[in-house]
Amino acid sequence: MTPRRERLPQDTGAPGLDQALRKLKTTARLLQTTAHPDDEDGAMLALESRGKGAKVMLMSLTRGDGGQNKTGSNLFDELGVLRTLELLESARYYGVDLRFARTADFGYSKTPEETFQKWGGHEIALADMVRVIREFRPDVVASAWAGTASDGHGHHQASGILTPEAVEAAADPKRFPEQIKEGLLPWQVKKVYIRMRGSEDYTVRFEAGTVDPDLGTSYAQFGIEGYSQQKSQNASFFPARPGPNYRPYKLVQSVFSSKPDPNKREEDFFDGIDTTLPGLVARLGAEESQVLFLLPALKEIEANVDQAIATRSPEPLLAAGEQLNKLIPLVEQSTLSTASKQDLLLNLRTKSQQFEEASRLALDLDFRVSRDKSSQLLVPGETVKLTARLQNNGKHAVTVKQITLDLPQGWQQKTTPAQPKAPSKALAPGESASVDFTVTVPGNAEITRPYWHRNEPDKENIFTIDDPRYQTLPLPSPAVRAHANYEFSGKAAVIHTDAIADVNGKATTLAVVPAFSVLMQHATAVIPAGKKSPMDEDVIIRSNLSTPAETIVHLQVPNGWHVSPASQKVTFDKAGDEKTAHFEVEPVALSETRTQISAELEYKGKKYDEGFSEVGRPDIATFYYYQPSIQKISAVKVVLPENLKVGYVEGAGDDILSSLQQLGLDARLISSDELAHGDLNHYGTIILGIRAYDTREDVRKHNQHLLDFVNQGGTLLVQNNFDVDAFNTGKYTPYPAQLSRQRVSVEEAPVEVLAPQDSVFNSPNKISAHDFDGWIQERGVNFMGQWDEKFQPLLASSDPGEQPLKGGLLEAKAGKGTYIYTGYAFFRQLPAGVPGAIRLYVNLLSAGHEH
């Protein structure tokens, strides 16, 4: 599913038609493979797709779900949904389709060996890559990575290693036979390239700095504009300047040569491959005699395309499109072998879709289906009104034959007025035809949700596929689609669209959601072991019903725990109403352990025990992240400091503040105004959230206010930042120090305590080697690389085979106070309830306040 978005200006009018006509001239198919969103070569993709008209697909092995998030607190699988939406937005600029594997981004990895160990070997990722190759059947595969140490990240290296393996396996009928049984036949990719970075050792080099008049900029600049949509990754920091912009690739495999000539230069990926429409016939070999009608028909279609390019007239486009659509059933009924037929039909159906878009642009037709309410959410059992409208914005009259909703099985519809089987309405320029539909969503309608999940995102590295129909797709298919049949100049054509709602001026694809969303306010909680005092637990409930509703909500708690009240009645008046059900939960005295509580809502005999959040931003599409209404609780043996007031300055977003509050610490958020003008001295310790200097101008501006707080006796705990150059230029530390990109990616990496007598390891909690057990995803990132002798390194750690890094936790006395920098990944450990990390973090907050 690609959630509906308004078309880019470059995809409308004359520029859009120019690019659509280019696509009709070629059958070239290109697949680029990557490891993460943001690995792709957007400039090359835009050049091949928009500039040369190739059918292009981008495949990422992960959804980037293990990274950090510059734009909010979404992490793990919710971040994966956000990055899927971001990459879909980038793909709109590149003009490409998108696919994903089941493998998860588990954070930075320094070696492919660790990556494959976490991914269960090669086979799972390989199976998904082979599936995509067999479905898409590319002529050329271009790997973004070489599969060597020069790629850096272990995921990058794994992607480069897997790509040629997948190409070989896709052609082998013995590999992944379950796919063969599904009907995915082997496919032989003709050429494989790898992207070269800053090297003259290339076979083909693209000049992406060329300006395309239809884009109004160069392919490199347009590609970077697409790339910059990935804001959660800081992707907007990479501008492209006007002028030459070369993208080199090296040929590493070819069916035309057992060993590609390293000195041979090419003009394009498809050199030596016949990508013309009539060239499809040559692929058939001796089987051409079984479809003698094919070559003349394709030549005639190609001639019509040439005429359309020369005249920009819709007549030859519709004539060619109609002829192509008559050709497809003839091929389906032919005696061609299954393999030949599959390849030929894939290309013909792709061309049919491209003719549909080119014809729409040539006639300047606008077809949309929209809901009568400003909500994209549909609830099983409800009835909604939709209006389908075909608008003729062009210069030619067209005749509307039929407007039809394409509904899932079990959905019911009525039209106003009722449409006969073949109505006809002539649309002069400027006129429109519309049909109102009343649609009933069945009670068992499929919910719009990700088709993949992990039960424990911090531990599992492979996604479970809940619906194999959508495997490798970015998202499931839209809930409601529609098509309009029309005629022009005696030729039949069709146009498709997705149903939308206008939500605050944003066209948003319709989605089916449960009648109620039920979520615990905090998905995780940490509490001191032995806690007996009541815990405040809030359940956030949203009604999606348009009618009033009365519900009952209750909590399920571990044996021996007491919850008050036992249940609550919660009423709603309309869709969108959100209520909070408040409970007090009294735990039994626990040792260090993990448990959970859950919430359940009852309405008309049906139980609801999960909730969803809308993921997206105004500048990208919207989708939904579901999670069970469960709060995972970690009871941790921890001694808390007495009478310590903690202030938290939010950065890119994390759950550290709520974790500290759950523990019982006196911790609260520091507002922007307080940071700028307030008296900070009533705090004992102030924490800077992750990437605070990266994301907040006011933190950078008022850094001296924070250092003054330290000089006057406070403790400042600064957590990792990503933008190394900006941090070092800003000189935010009390003494000289240089931030680096050094990191320890293996979460089990040994940690050495360098200053065992320091209070950080003794007060109020005694820290031992076991406190570094059970950490998740990574030890830490962005350690200090150099520092003044006034800083004392407290810990040392390293990934296997590397020298110990001492810049992950530094402490310095400044004036009367204490300054601490940490790159250790506490922002992941605290919400996950990792006991030792919590004890150490509490000690860091207590530093300077031991007496």
Side-chain angles (χ1 to χ4, degrees):
M1 170 184 174
T2 301
R4 173 66 183 272
R5 299 276 283 144
E6 295 297 339
R7 291 181 176 86
L8 296 172
Q10 292 81 359
D11 292 327
T12 63
L17 179 57
D18 283 345
Q19 294 172 81
L21 292 172
R22 289 173 201 165
K23 291 188 175 298
L24 298 179
K25 284 289 291 178
T26 178
T27 62
R29 303 176 80 86
L30 168 67
L31 172 68
Q32 175 153 72
T33 57
T34 68
H36 314 103
D38 88 348
D39 290 351
E40 70 276 4
D41 186 352
M44 181 277 290
L45 295 173
L47 171 61
E48 285 293 331
S49 174
R50 292 183 174 276
K52 300 183 180 182
K55 179 71 173 173
V56 183
M57 181 173 284
L58 170 64
M59 182 179 188
S60 176
L61 294 186
T62 76
R63 296 177 185 262
D65 19 59
Q68 297 183 45
N69 182 0
K70 184 188 175 186
T71 60
S73 59
N74 320 74
L75 293 173
F76 295 110
D77 293 359
E78 189 171 5
L79 178 60
V81 174
L82 176 64
R83 291 200 168 161
T84 299
L85 294 171
E86 289 182 328
L87 191 55
L88 279 167
E89 188 68 12
S90 297
R92 288 209 308 149
Y93 283 80
Y94 308 150
V96 307
D97 295 328
L98 192 56
R99 295 293 184 270
F100 291 95
R102 286 168 285 173
T103 40
D105 176 357
F106 55 82
Y108 191 84
S109 174
K110 292 183 179 177
T111 67
E113 289 78 16
E114 184 201 19
T115 298
F116 286 126
Q117 185 270 324
K118 292 286 181 70
W119 286 351
H122 292 221
E123 291 300 287
I124 294 174
L126 197 62
D128 290 341
M129 297 179 82
V130 168
R131 175 178 294 278
V132 168
I133 291 171
R134 286 173 174 173
E135 286 180 344
F136 182 58
R137 304 172 84 81
D139 302 301
V140 172
V141 172
S143 175
W145 301 107
T148 64
S150 64
D151 294 338
H153 200 316
H155 297 174
H156 296 168
Q157 296 182 60
S159 172
I161 292 168
L162 287 168
T163 296
E165 292 181 7
V167 168
E168 180 180 356
D172 186 348
K174 296 180 181 178
R175 297 299 306 275
F176 304 106
E178 69 279 4
Q179 296 180 9
I180 306 294
K181 291 179 182 178
E182 291 176 35
L184 294 179
L185 299 184
W187 177 249
Q188 179 63 66
V189 173
K190 298 174 183 65
K191 298 164 80 175
V192 180
Y193 294 79
I194 58 174
R195 183 179 178 185
M196 307 301 291
R197 288 170 167 81
S199 170
E200 292 299 312
D201 183 20
Y202 63 85
T203 308
V204 59
R205 187 174 73 167
F206 300 101
E207 216 298 59
T210 304
V211 173
D212 185 327
D214 292 320
L215 301 181
T217 186
S218 73
Y219 299 108
Q221 290 170 307
F222 199 70
I224 285 295
E225 190 173 347
Y227 189 80
S228 69
Q229 306 305 308
Q230 301 178 60
K231 292 181 173 62
S232 71
Q233 309 219 51
N234 240 22
S236 59
F237 277 13
F238 304 95
R241 297 190 178 102
N245 191 300
Y246 296 108
R247 328 295 284 194
Y249 283 79
K250 182 177 180 179
L251 180 66
V252 293
Q253 289 183 25
S254 172
V255 296
F256 306 116
S257 172
S258 59
K259 187 175 182 181
D261 183 352
N263 299 313
K264 183 180 179 181
R265 293 286 191 259
E266 296 180 339
E267 296 297 319
D268 191 67
F269 286 141
F270 302 96
D271 283 8
I273 303 173
D274 188 346
T275 60
T276 64
L277 263 175
L280 293 174
V281 178
R283 300 188 187 189
L284 299 175
E287 290 188 82
E288 180 183 347
S289 61
Q290 300 175 41
V291 284
L292 293 175
F293 59 85
L294 185 60
L295 184 59
L298 291 178
K299 286 183 175 179
E300 186 173 345
I301 290 170
E302 187 177 55
N304 274 320
V305 172
D306 290 337
Q307 184 182 351
I309 292 172
T311 64
R312 303 184 66 81
S313 170
E315 282 92 345
L317 279 178
L318 272 82
E322 185 179 66
Q323 188 169 11
L324 179 66
N325 289 333
K326 291 178 179 177
L327 196 60
I328 289 173
L330 295 178
V331 172
E332 290 173 335
Q333 296 158 18
S334 72
T335 56
L336 288 172
S337 66
T338 303
S340 295
K341 188 180 294 187
Q342 189 175 91
D343 179 44
L344 182 56
L345 286 173
L346 176 66
N347 280 281
L348 295 181
R349 288 166 180 155
T350 296
K351 279 287 160 280
S352 178
Q353 295 169 357
Q354 292 173 347
F355 270 111
E356 176 184 323
E357 177 64 4
S359 299
R360 183 195 68 77
L361 286 162
L363 290 167
D364 201 359
L365 300 178
D366 181 50
F367 180 45
R368 60 183 58 212
V369 179
S370 55
R371 188 180 181 182
D372 63 340
K373 293 182 179 179
S374 181
S375 173
Q376 78 275 26
L377 304 180
L378 308 177
V379 176
E382 76 174 352
T383 298
V384 298
K385 292 184 178 180
L386 305 176
T387 297
R389 176 175 286 104
L390 181 64
Q391 173 77 34
N392 182 3
N393 296 319
K395 302 176 182 178
H396 306 276
V398 299
T399 301
V400 182
K401 303 299 291 184
Q402 185 82 15
I403 295 177
T404 306
L405 287 186
D406 301 317
L407 297 172
Q409 187 175 3
W411 292 47
Q412 297 179 348
Q413 68 175 48
K414 294 180 181 179
T415 60
T416 309
Q419 290 193 91
K421 287 187 177 180
S424 293
K425 180 179 179 181
L427 291 186
E431 292 185 341
S432 65
S434 64
V435 180
D436 293 330
F437 295 89
T438 301
V439 175
T440 300
V441 185
N444 62 349
E446 182 179 318
I447 300 298
T448 305
R449 63 191 302 157
Y451 63 84
W452 69 93
H453 82 276
R454 291 184 289 177
N455 291 324
E456 296 186 87
D458 56 341
K459 297 179 181 178
E460 300 171 25
N461 300 308
I462 301 295
F463 286 103
T464 297
I465 301 300
D466 302 313
D467 194 331
R469 292 177 299 167
Y470 305 129
Q471 187 166 343
T472 77
L473 293 179
L475 298 168
S477 301
V480 180
R481 304 203 75 220
H483 68 274
N485 296 94
Y486 68 95
E487 287 184 356
F488 171 73
S489 192
K491 303 299 181 183
V494 67
I495 182 172
H496 292 81
T497 193
D498 300 333
I500 62 157
D502 186 327
V503 182
N504 299 321
K506 176 181 173 181
T508 306
T509 307
L510 296 185
V512 181
V513 299
F516 300 95
S517 170
V518 185
L519 287 173
M520 301 296 299
Q521 183 176 28
H522 299 293
T524 61
V526 291
I527 62 174
K531 178 181 176 69
K532 294 182 180 180
S533 57
M535 303 158 46
D536 291 329
E537 296 292 348
D538 289 338
V539 183
I540 311 301
I541 309 131
R542 168 177 165 160
S543 172
N544 301 307
L545 294 172
S546 57
T547 55
E550 183 177 289
T551 68
I552 299 294
V553 181
H554 64 270
L555 291 185
Q556 295 174 329
V557 299
N559 288 336
W561 291 34
H562 182 262
V563 58
S564 177
S567 64
Q568 287 194 50
K569 183 187 294 184
V570 183
T571 60
F572 301 90
D573 296 325
K574 60 184 185 304
D577 276 1
E578 188 171 284
K579 300 286 182 71
T580 299
H582 179 75
F583 296 87
E584 283 194 351
V585 175
E586 186 175 329
V588 297
L590 294 174
S591 58
E592 195 160 274
T593 187
R594 293 178 182 268
T595 186
Q596 69 178 38
I597 61 177
S598 61
E600 188 176 75
L601 178 147
E602 294 182 19
Y603 175 70
K604 291 187 175 179
K606 187 172 182 179
K607 296 181 179 180
Y608 298 83
D609 57 4
E610 68 174 356
F612 67 92
S613 54
E614 294 183 14
V615 181
R617 294 190 303 268
D619 58 311
I620 61 175
T622 299
F623 203 66
Y624 312 91
Y625 173 66
Y626 280 80
Q627 53 190 321
S629 49
I630 288 173
Q631 183 183 74
K632 296 179 180 179
I633 297 176
S634 298
V636 179
K637 291 181 179 178
V638 59
V639 179
L640 302 178
E642 295 182 5
N643 304 316
L644 178 63
K645 190 171 185 178
V646 178
Y648 177 82
V649 178
E650 191 171 33
D654 58 50
D655 290 326
I656 282 182
L657 178 60
S658 60
S659 296
L660 299 179
Q661 292 169 337
Q662 292 161 358
L663 283 169
L665 283 166
D666 181 5
R668 70 175 183 84
L669 191 68
I670 294 178
S671 68
S672 296
D673 184 66
E674 186 179 8
L675 175 64
H677 308 293
D679 179 7
L680 302 179
N681 291 325
H682 62 281
Y683 295 106
T685 297
I686 292 177
I687 305 165
L688 294 192
I690 59 168
R691 302 180 75 168
Y693 290 107
D694 290 348
T695 58
R696 289 184 55 170
E697 182 181 357
D698 62 337
V699 174
R700 299 190 293 270
K701 181 179 178 181
H702 300 295
N703 183 67
Q704 188 58 48
H705 195 190
L706 293 167
L707 295 182
D708 290 343
F709 162 77
V710 176
N711 286 323
Q712 293 164 20
T715 297
L716 180 64
L717 176 59
V718 178
Q719 299 181 115
N720 70 286
N721 284 267
F722 177 82
D723 193 338
V724 171
D725 292 338
F727 186 91
N728 291 335
T729 301
K731 299 181 179 179
Y732 301 119
T733 54
Y735 310 112
Q738 292 289 301
L739 189 63
S740 76
R741 298 197 184 281
Q742 294 176 353
R743 65 198 300 162
V744 179
S745 62
V746 176
E747 57 268 30
E748 302 90 356
V751 178
E752 178 187 359
V753 175
L754 300 175
Q757 301 308 313
D758 193 282
S759 64
V760 162
F761 304 110
N762 295 281
S763 177
N765 298 279
K766 183 69 175 177
I767 301 300
S768 71
H770 292 299
D771 287 306
F772 297 97
D773 295 341
W775 284 44
I776 64 168
Q777 187 154 321
E778 59 198 345
R779 282 295 186 205
V781 297
N782 294 114
F783 287 11
M784 288 290 183
Q786 301 176 40
W787 53 87
D788 187 276
E789 62 182 12
K790 294 184 179 66
F791 284 102
Q792 180 180 17
L794 301 178
L795 295 175
S797 184
S798 65
D799 283 317
E802 297 185 357
Q803 291 298 310
L805 301 176
K806 299 181 179 181
L809 185 61
L810 302 179
E811 180 184 39
K813 301 301 179 182
K816 299 178 181 179
T818 303
Y819 180 97
I820 297 174
Y821 174 81
T822 180
Y824 283 88
F826 291 107
F827 74 98
R828 296 193 189 279
Q829 315 309 320
L830 265 66
V834 177
I838 291 170
R839 284 189 283 268
L840 177 55
Y841 199 84
V842 167
N843 283 14
L844 293 175
L845 300 181
S846 305
H849 309 293
E850 293 84 8
H851 302 294

